[in-house]
């Protein structure tokens, strides 16, 4: 079995594909963190590149294999199939839709399939711990998917992947199209700055909120500590023993400074047991050691920490189950105060802001695509019309076809059309001059052929009788000897008797007429092996090739019989005889 039946492409083809597959797997494995559990995945970029460079089949198989590996080794939910459906739907759209690009096809997928399906899957698989979390996650997926499609489309347009494709069958042409450049420019200049502003604004807002939360915690704990400093030692000892009256006082203090705020205040004794916790049950509060065992801890500033569970259903929900904690020992009776800020509060604020901004994002997407469409209609269609008009322009002008030039108000395009019109006018003038020159050349060529024919006639034929002349006779003999040197041939010399007397008595005109009549009779003997020549004056030769003795006798008898009948010349009857001699070779 031929190995090419199993591996029809070159080794470089499979190496490049494998590298792209590995990069896609790594991009799927390591998402880019943004804030509060929001992550950006670039895995679809790799799959889109595989789709456009290596075909639909390899792209879909790659998506299925990567998803299977993540389900098997990284506990990804088997129902998280949007990753695969995106590639399948875009592949189908790319196959059956002649117009469009990755961004347009991916937008259709997310509007009609990906977005609604994401909301449904999140509702079925996960518990909603924050309002609108499923819609927010779906919007993030839509935004992420469209950015991946845009990035892949830009990479395919401007990076010469075709130079790295080692198989001729796989090589793609490396042209760039103006409509692509305008589309990418419009989308990038509108959407990317908008997303950067939204991202930076949200990040900055969260940093401010985080700083405000810490300041609130500091103020709350300081105020709480000042209140406790005014207590009697006896009350503080009873508080350490979790006295009901003292706990009631603590609740009043917490209510005074925290009230119905979105954060909670916890007071711990020297054994880290909960004395009082506002808005939290005792089971929700853990010791510092327990927090470190259950949560990933990060110190943000002195006494201010971020705790995130090690495991959860997904990254966004893992952060939603975490806290900002301000944990400080009080200078009163070995007590500790903890101010708890649930991260879900910050997430909720981010969700509400982003959901409002997402509507603006959709408006900007539509606006960018509208601008790209208008630019395409204004420039690209005119350029395409001009390209179609000028394609085969010389042939159209030669055929005198009517040229329909596009009309445009764009100055540069109008100048280009004007230049083409001027050039076509020059071409028409050149074609007309060419036709005139061709006619002249044809006439001159005809005259040259006639001249050549006349010169050949003058050089090799007798002008009086039309028979081949002496030069022709000599060349013919040389050719016979050179080509048929071993064959026999005969040369018969024919000389008219008393021709000089006829010429002197009857005149040269009568002599010329006689020579013509004799030549006509000699031509009656011409055949494939018999040629007649006039050497000059009254001398003629007959060349016979090939020749046998019998043929030669018959020809000699025939030549002799030619002079039996008289010849009429200028109303006179002349009896002419000839002397003949034969030379054999």
């Amino acid at each position: 079995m031929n190995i090419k039946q199993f591996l029809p492409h070159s080794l470089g083809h499979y190496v490049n594909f494998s590298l792209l597959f590995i990069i896609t797997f790594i991009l799927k494995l390591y998402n880019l963190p943004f804030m509060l559990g929001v992550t950006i995945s670039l895995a679809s970029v790799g799959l889109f590149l595989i789709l456009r460079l290596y075909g639909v089949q390899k792209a879909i198989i790659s998506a299925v294999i990567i998803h299977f590996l993540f389900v098997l080794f990284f506990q990804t939910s088997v129902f998280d199939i949007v990753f695969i459906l995106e590639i399948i739907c875009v592949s189908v759209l790319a196959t059956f839709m002649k117009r469009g690009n990755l961004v347009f096809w991916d937008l259709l997928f997310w509007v009609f399939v990906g977005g609604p399906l994401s909301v449904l899957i999140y509702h079925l698989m996960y518990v909603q711990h924050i309002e609108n979390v499923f819609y927010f996650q779906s919007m993030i997926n839509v935004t992420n998917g469209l950015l991946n499609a845009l990035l892949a489309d830009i990479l395919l347009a401007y990076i010469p992947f075709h130079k790295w494709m080692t198989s001729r069958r796989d090589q793609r042409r490396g042209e760039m199209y103006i409509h692509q450049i305008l589309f990418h420019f419009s989308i990038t200049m509108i959407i990317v700055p908008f997303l950067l502003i939204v991202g930076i604004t949200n990040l900055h807002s969260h940093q401010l909120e985080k700083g405000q939360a810490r300041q609130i915690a500091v103020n709350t704990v300081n105020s709480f500590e000042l209140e406790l400093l005014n207590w009697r030692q006896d009350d503080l000892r009873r508080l350490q023993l979790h006295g009901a009256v003292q706990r009631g006082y603590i609740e009043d203090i917490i209510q005074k400074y925290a009230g119905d705020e979105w954060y909670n205040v916890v007071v711990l004794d020297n054994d880290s047991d909960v004395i009082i916790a506002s808005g939290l049950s005792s089971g929700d509060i853990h010791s510092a050691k327990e927090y470190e065992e259950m949560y990933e801890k990060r110190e943000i500033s002195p006494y201010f920490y971020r705790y995130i569970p090690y495991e959860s259903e997904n990254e966004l929900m893992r952060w939603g189950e975490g806290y900002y904690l301000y944990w400080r020992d009080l200078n009163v009776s070995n007590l500790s105060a903890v101010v708890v800020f649930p991260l879900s509060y910050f997430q909720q604020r981010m969700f509400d802001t982003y959901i409002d901004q997402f509507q603006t994002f959709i408006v900007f997407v539509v606006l960018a695509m509208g601008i790209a469409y208008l630019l395409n209609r204004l420039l690209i269609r005119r350029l395409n019309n001009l390209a179609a008009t000028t394609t085969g322009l010389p042939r159209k002008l030669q055929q005198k076809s009517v040229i329909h030039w596009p009309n445009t108000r764009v100055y540069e395009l109008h100048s280009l059309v004007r230049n083409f019109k001027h050039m076509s006018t020059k071409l028409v003038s050149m074609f007309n001059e060419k036709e005139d020159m061709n006619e002249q050349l044809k006439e001159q060529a005809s005259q040259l052929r006639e001249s050549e024919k006349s010169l050949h006639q003058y050089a090799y034929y007798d002008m009086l009788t039309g028979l081949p002349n002496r030069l022709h006779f000599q060349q013919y003999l040389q050719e016979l000897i050179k080509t048929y040197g071993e064959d026999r041939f005969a040369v018969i010399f024919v000389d008219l008797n008393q021709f000089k007397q006829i010429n002197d008595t009857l005149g040269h005109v009568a002599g010329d007429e006689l020579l013509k009549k004799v030549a006509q009779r000699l031509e009656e003997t011409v055949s494939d092996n018999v040629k007649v020549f006039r050497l000059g004056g009254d001398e003629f030769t007959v060349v016979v090739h090939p020749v046998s003795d019998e043929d030669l006798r018959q020809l000699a008898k025939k030549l002799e019989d030619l002079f039996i009948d008289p010849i009429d010349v200028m109303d006179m009857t002349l009896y002419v005889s000839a002397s003949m001699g034969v030379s054999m070779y």
Side-chain angles (χ1 to χ4, degrees):
M1 186 68 69
N2 191 348
I3 191 173
K4 288 190 175 181
Q5 294 180 354
F6 297 98
L7 300 174
H9 303 287
S10 65
L11 179 61
H13 171 95
Y14 297 102
V15 170
N16 293 334
F17 172 76
S18 300
L19 289 175
L20 194 54
F21 178 86
I22 293 172
I23 292 173
T24 304
F25 182 84
I26 294 174
L27 292 175
K28 178 69 174 175
L29 182 61
Y30 297 102
N31 294 334
L32 300 178
F34 179 54
M35 68 177 190
L36 296 176
V38 177
T39 58
I40 304 297
S41 173
L42 298 178
S44 295
V45 175
L47 290 176
F48 285 140
L49 293 178
I50 293 175
L51 169 64
R52 301 303 284 171
L53 295 175
Y54 295 96
V56 173
Q57 184 178 6
K58 288 186 175 65
I60 295 176
I61 292 176
S62 299
V64 172
I65 292 175
I66 291 175
H67 181 70
F68 175 77
L69 292 175
F70 270 78
V71 171
L72 189 63
F73 296 105
F74 301 100
Q75 289 76 47
T76 300
S77 172
V78 72
F79 294 99
D80 188 17
I81 59 173
V82 179
F83 176 71
I84 300 176
L85 288 178
E86 181 181 17
I87 298 302
I88 295 176
C89 291
V90 171
S91 300
V92 172
L93 292 173
T95 302
F96 292 99
M97 294 185 67
K98 301 300 182 183
R99 303 181 64 180
N101 52 37
L102 286 175
V103 179
F104 177 69
W105 299 326
D106 201 51
L107 178 62
L108 293 179
F109 163 76
W110 285 109
V111 170
F112 296 104
V113 180
L117 185 61
S118 295
V119 175
L120 178 62
I121 289 177
Y122 290 138
H123 268 292
L124 293 176
M125 296 300 299
Y126 304 121
V127 177
Q128 178 169 309
H129 66 289
I130 304 175
E131 185 180 357
N132 295 328
V133 62
F134 302 141
Y135 299 104
F136 172 79
Q137 184 65 64
S138 300
M139 292 176 185
I140 289 294
N141 290 346
V142 172
T143 306
N144 193 174
L146 291 176
L147 287 178
N148 284 344
L150 177 61
L151 181 58
D153 205 48
I154 290 175
L155 292 176
L156 288 167
Y158 307 114
I159 294 182
F161 288 103
H162 65 285
K163 293 183 179 179
W164 306 330
M165 308 290 286
T166 55
S167 174
R168 290 185 178 180
R169 290 177 54 189
D170 294 330
Q171 286 185 353
R172 300 296 192 269
R173 299 172 66 186
E175 296 92 344
M176 289 189 294
Y177 299 94
I178 294 181
H179 69 85
Q180 278 185 324
I181 298 174
L182 291 177
F183 177 79
H184 294 153
F185 179 80
S186 303
I187 293 291
T188 304
M189 289 298 101
I190 293 178
I191 294 180
V192 172
F194 172 77
L195 292 177
L196 287 176
I197 292 173
V198 170
I200 293 173
T201 302
N202 286 335
L203 185 61
H204 181 66
S205 298
H206 176 64
Q207 294 295 333
L208 289 177
E209 290 176 345
K210 187 167 59 175
Q212 291 173 357
R214 184 185 184 283
Q215 190 59 46
I216 289 173
V218 170
N219 294 338
T220 300
V221 171
N222 288 340
S223 300
F224 185 73
E225 187 176 37
L226 289 175
E227 290 282 349
L228 291 179
L229 287 174
N230 295 324
W231 281 28
R232 294 177 303 173
Q233 290 296 324
D234 185 55
D235 290 331
L236 291 174
R237 283 194 298 272
R238 291 178 181 177
L239 180 62
Q240 286 280 5
L241 298 175
H242 296 208
V245 176
Q246 285 72 24
R247 292 178 71 251
Y249 291 155
I250 292 295
E251 287 182 358
D252 293 339
I253 295 174
I254 292 175
Q255 184 67 26
K256 176 181 177 181
Y257 292 105
D260 297 328
E261 296 289 347
W262 49 274
Y263 57 90
N264 307 105
V265 179
V266 180
V267 179
L268 305 175
D269 60 17
N270 56 353
D271 295 326
S272 296
D273 293 330
V274 177
I275 298 176
I276 191 68
S278 65
L280 295 172
S281 64
S282 59
D284 294 330
I285 305 301
H286 308 281
S287 65
K289 183 178 180 181
E290 290 175 331
Y291 269 114
E292 292 180 1
E293 292 176 352
M294 299 170 57
Y295 291 83
E296 176 187 338
K297 177 184 177 182
R298 179 184 176 186
E299 183 177 2
I300 298 175
S301 61
Y303 308 115
F304 196 56
Y305 307 92
R306 185 188 70 200
Y307 287 88
I308 302 174
Y310 284 109
E311 295 182 358
S312 186
E313 294 173 330
N314 61 34
E315 188 68 12
L316 191 65
M317 294 184 180
R318 186 171 81 94
W319 277 70
E321 296 169 359
Y323 303 94
Y324 284 131
L325 297 183
Y326 183 82
W327 195 313
R328 185 165 72 83
D329 294 333
L330 302 178
N331 295 322
V332 180
S333 191
N334 295 325
L335 298 176
S336 299
V338 181
V339 182
V340 182
F341 301 94
L343 290 179
S344 58
Y345 169 81
F346 299 97
Q347 283 187 331
Q348 183 65 62
R349 291 176 62 85
M350 180 182 67
F351 295 169
D352 294 339
T353 302
Y354 184 78
I355 289 174
D356 293 336
Q357 293 171 339
F358 185 79
Q359 300 174 3
T360 308
F361 171 74
I362 295 299
V363 172
F364 270 77
V365 170
V366 174
L367 177 63
M369 298 187 74
I371 291 176
Y373 173 78
L374 291 177
L375 290 175
N376 178 69
R377 186 177 182 85
L378 182 64
L379 298 177
I380 306 305
R381 286 192 177 182
R382 297 293 186 273
L383 287 174
N384 289 338
N385 291 338
L386 182 60
T389 301
T390 55
T391 299
L393 183 60
R395 176 179 51 81
K396 295 177 182 177
L397 295 176
Q398 279 185 321
Q399 296 175 352
K400 295 181 171 46
S401 301
V402 178
I403 308 298
H404 299 284
W405 298 101
N407 295 321
T408 177
R409 297 173 58 187
V410 180
Y411 176 77
E412 288 77 8
L413 291 180
H414 181 72
S415 299
L416 189 60
V417 171
R418 185 173 63 248
N419 292 337
F420 272 111
K421 287 182 179 180
H422 180 71
M423 182 186 69
S424 63
T425 303
K426 292 292 185 182
L427 284 175
V428 170
S429 176
M430 291 174 60
F431 288 145
N432 292 335
E433 293 178 0
K434 177 185 174 183
E435 290 179 358
D436 294 340
M437 291 179 62
N438 286 340
E439 291 297 327
Q440 294 177 5
L441 289 174
K442 287 180 181 179
E443 184 177 354
Q444 292 175 359
S446 177
Q447 293 175 356
L448 286 174
R449 285 193 295 271
E450 291 296 329
S451 299
E452 183 180 358
K453 184 177 179 181
S454 299
L455 290 174
H456 185 271
Q457 191 74 18
Y458 292 147
Y460 292 96
Y461 290 87
D462 178 52
M463 300 306 299
L464 178 63
T465 62
L467 293 175
N469 60 14
R470 180 185 294 273
L471 179 61
H472 199 162
F473 168 72
Q474 292 173 346
Q475 290 185 355
Y476 183 71
L477 282 184
Q478 291 174 359
E479 187 67 25
L480 278 180
I481 295 171
K482 180 179 179 181
T483 307
Y484 305 100
E486 297 181 359
D487 293 351
R488 294 180 66 207
F489 64 88
V491 179
I492 303 174
F493 292 88
V494 179
D495 190 1
L496 299 182
N497 296 327
Q498 298 179 349
F499 176 74
K500 186 176 183 305
Q501 294 179 0
I502 296 173
N503 223 12
D504 292 341
T505 57
L506 299 180
H508 291 286
V509 176
D512 291 343
E513 185 68 20
L514 176 61
L515 291 174
K516 291 180 183 179
K517 295 293 181 70
V518 171
Q520 291 174 359
R521 292 189 178 186
L522 290 175
E523 282 184 327
E524 294 176 1
T525 64
V526 174
S527 63
D528 291 340
N529 63 330
V530 177
K531 306 295 181 185
V532 178
F533 301 86
R534 182 193 176 202
L535 300 183
D538 59 348
E539 297 177 353
F540 297 88
T541 59
V542 179
V543 180
V544 186
H545 174 267
V547 64
S548 63
D549 294 341
E550 182 62 27
D551 292 338
L552 186 59
R553 280 193 294 270
Q554 291 180 2
L555 180 60
K557 181 66 171 63
K558 188 175 182 180
L559 290 173
E560 185 180 359
D561 293 341
L562 290 177
F563 295 95
I564 294 176
D565 296 330
I567 300 174
D568 295 330
V569 177
M570 297 178 63
D571 298 331
M572 292 181 291
T573 301
L574 301 177
Y575 289 89
V576 180
S577 62
S579 300
M580 302 181 191
V582 179
S583 175
M584 297 296 297
Y585 179 84

